[in-house]
Amino acid sequence: MRFNDNIQFYSESESHYDPKIGDYVGSVTLVGEEIANVTESGTDTSVQNFGDIATKTLVIRLINSIEYKWSYLTVNGLEVKYKPITTRQPLKNNTLIVGEVNGN
């Protein structure tokens, strides 16, 4: 299995004023980047997770587990955002199933 895709994990937080810095902080932050094997999930998985096949879902296999909190991810720097659906941890690697965020 080739791990030839680059995954960027982002965290979204509400913007708030930080008096120490003297400016607003928050919003979208890149919290991590990993290499992964990415494939589209089949129609059976899409129907099971969403009840239809209108939402594009991906299966992402990672070498290491993700220890940080994240809100959405992008694949290979593209602008399409994917939200987490489920995580599986078999004996080898770790698997995320993610769905495309509406509005992209």
Side-chain angles (χ1 to χ4, degrees):
M1 183 180 314
R2 292 184 182 179
F3 292 84
N4 56 350
D5 293 295
N6 191 10
I7 308 299
Q8 298 83 31
F9 294 92
Y10 294 93
S11 176
E12 292 179 314
S13 62
E14 290 187 29
S15 150
H16 64 279
Y17 184 77
D18 186 352
K20 292 180 183 177
I21 298 174
D23 202 1
Y24 283 89
V25 296
S27 67
V28 177
T29 306
L30 177 68
V31 293
E33 212 165 345
E34 300 287 333
I35 58 170
N37 173 273
V38 178
T39 57
E40 288 188 27
S41 65
T43 55
D44 292 340
T45 304
S46 293
V47 169
Q48 181 182 6
N49 291 330
F50 296 105
D52 63 6
I53 57 171
T55 303
K56 181 179 178 182
T57 58
L58 298 177
V59 178
I60 300 176
R61 293 167 192 85
L62 301 159
I63 297 172
N64 301 314
S65 62
I66 303 302
E67 301 297 329
Y68 35 81
K69 302 278 187 203
W70 57 280
S71 303
Y72 70 90
L73 62 83
T74 59
V75 179
N76 296 325
L78 300 176
E79 293 185 20
V80 180
K81 298 176 184 177
Y82 295 92
K83 62 182 177 182
I85 295 172
T86 187
T87 303
R88 297 184 182 138
Q89 295 182 336
L91 293 176
K92 284 184 153 183
N93 305 326
N94 293 290
T95 303
L96 298 173
I97 297 178
V98 296
E100 188 173 358
V101 176
N102 294 335
N104 285 328

